[in-house]
Amino acid sequence: MPQATEVLGQFIPLHYHFEMLRDSYRMKSFREAIEATVRPGDKVVDLGGGTGILSFFAARAGAEVWYCERNPELVAAAEKMIRANNVSEQIHIVHADAAEFAPPVPVDAVVCEMLHVGLLREKQIQVISAFHDNYRAAHGPKLPRFIPEGTMLACQPVEQNFEFEGYLAAGPLFQAPADQHDDTQPLAEAAVHHMVWYDKPLRSDIAWSGKFEIAESGIMNAVRFITKNALTVLLEEQRVVPWHNQFLVMPLDRPQQVEQGDVVEVSFRYEAGGELSQLAATLQAVRTGERRTQAA
């Protein structure tokens, strides 16, 4: 059995971090958010800093940065890359658990990208909640700005093709948010079930029950989970710098035929940072017996 520090929510393998560097959508979104938020002379904390790329963006914007990372392999790699990118004088390397860290001085912004679809698997909620307590104990009640500022969680019933070269295999599927997904048929509009703001008190339990009106007839055999992050809210420009995690399609144990106008109720419960199996074990979607008349 893997140790707790070896699972994805704790120690993501180094090679996976290099794959994240190749994700241009992720990179460009965070670079834009950091460049729009951080000013020369600011002080910034990067919690769970990984390869140091987000610390690099902040340093290049003129900030003094505290990079905090628990994984010793990543710390060693990041220290080497930060030095190679000529920003080592601006970045303090801190080898520590992000959930136990408070910077030595008050800071202007905190970057934390420990995000997975649905806030599953990774420890974003727990780490930022702990940072609230640690920072206030060290520097008083006023918190710095967070990047991302918030996360919107949504879901929708879908008909998903789980057949692969003639082999039926219903299991969790991940989808790039910008791609066309011809194998997925949305059956209703997505519904937002949680909004999380990282400067507010945070709860790790995520539970919801809500109703959908079916817009397209089909076989309801899965629920798609959508996670959209507001990396920074630019009030003066009246815009948000967004970043979507991958979509997650979770199969249902009992597929059902649904018709246009049917009402279905979706419910689930899991802990933020928990495994996909927690979501799968509680996920239900059933017709309620209600029926709504569609407008002509």
Side-chain angles (χ1 to χ4, degrees):
M1 293 291 291
Q3 299 297 312
T5 54
E6 294 173 348
V7 299
L8 179 61
Q10 299 295 324
F11 280 11
I12 299 176
L14 180 60
H15 64 270
Y16 187 80
H17 281 270
F18 281 100
E19 286 302 306
M20 289 193 285
L21 291 175
R22 297 179 64 203
D23 184 344
S24 61
Y25 171 48
R26 176 180 181 267
M27 292 294 93
K28 290 176 181 178
S29 296
F30 274 92
R31 186 191 68 191
E32 180 183 359
I34 290 170
E35 289 177 350
T37 304
V38 175
R39 297 289 179 264
D42 279 358
K43 300 183 186 303
V44 175
V45 166
D46 182 6
L47 295 174
T51 58
I53 180 65
L54 304 185
S55 292
F56 167 71
F57 289 154
R60 194 168 61 176
E64 179 181 8
V65 184
W66 281 263
Y67 159 103
C68 181
E69 173 59 54
R70 180 181 178 184
N71 184 340
E73 182 184 26
L74 270 174
V75 172
E79 190 168 21
K80 180 179 178 180
M81 289 183 284
I82 286 168
R83 186 167 55 250
N85 281 279
N86 300 312
V87 288
S88 57
E89 291 186 2
Q90 295 170 252
I91 300 176
H92 307 280
I93 303 292
V94 181
H95 182 195
D97 189 333
E100 299 175 357
F101 175 71
V105 297
V107 299
D108 302 285
V110 175
V111 182
C112 185
E113 198 282 88
M114 301 177 72
L115 290 160
H116 195 278
V117 61
L119 297 178
L120 286 156
R121 303 207 72 190
E122 296 198 57
K123 307 300 183 183
Q124 180 89 355
I125 293 292
Q126 289 86 343
V127 165
I128 294 183
S129 184
F131 183 85
H132 285 192
D133 295 338
N134 299 335
Y135 188 85
R136 284 172 166 148
H139 303 298
K142 185 178 179 181
L143 291 170
R145 189 169 184 173
F146 289 88
I147 303 173
E149 295 196 38
T151 296
M152 181 191 77
L153 304 178
C155 64
Q156 67 180 153
V158 300
E159 178 177 345
Q160 177 66 43
N161 181 6
F162 288 110
E163 187 176 297
F164 305 91
E165 299 298 329
Y167 188 69
L168 184 62
L173 300 177
F174 292 94
Q175 300 175 330
D179 291 351
Q180 179 73 27
H181 305 292
D182 295 331
D183 57 352
T184 307
Q185 175 60 50
L187 301 176
E189 293 293 326
V192 175
H193 60 82
H194 281 80
M195 282 294 303
V196 177
W197 295 103
Y198 293 110
D199 62 346
K200 307 298 182 186
L202 299 169
R203 294 180 55 177
S204 62
D205 58 312
I206 297 176
W208 187 74
S209 178
K211 294 181 178 180
F212 295 84
E213 181 179 356
I214 297 298
E216 297 288 340
S217 299
I219 304 296
M220 182 177 63
N221 64 352
V223 175
R224 178 157 63 181
F225 290 85
I226 300 164
T227 306
K228 182 178 181 179
N229 304 287
L231 297 187
T232 192
V233 179
L234 304 171
L235 294 178
E236 292 184 0
E237 300 177 29
Q238 296 187 332
R239 68 184 182 98
V240 172
V241 178
W243 176 58
H244 284 80
N245 287 91
Q246 287 188 315
F247 299 156
L248 168 64
V249 179
M250 289 293 291
L252 295 166
D253 288 338
R254 298 179 180 176
Q256 300 172 65
Q257 176 71 45
V258 291
E259 303 295 337
Q260 187 180 38
D262 284 350
V263 175
V264 300
E265 184 170 7
V266 172
S267 62
F268 51 85
R269 176 186 293 273
Y270 60 91
E271 287 292 313
E275 293 300 311
L276 300 188
S277 57
Q278 292 184 18
L279 171 58
T282 63
L283 178 60
Q284 296 186 42
V286 296
R287 285 179 297 177
T288 65
E290 300 175 54
R291 187 168 178 81
R292 297 177 185 171
T293 302
Q294 296 286 318

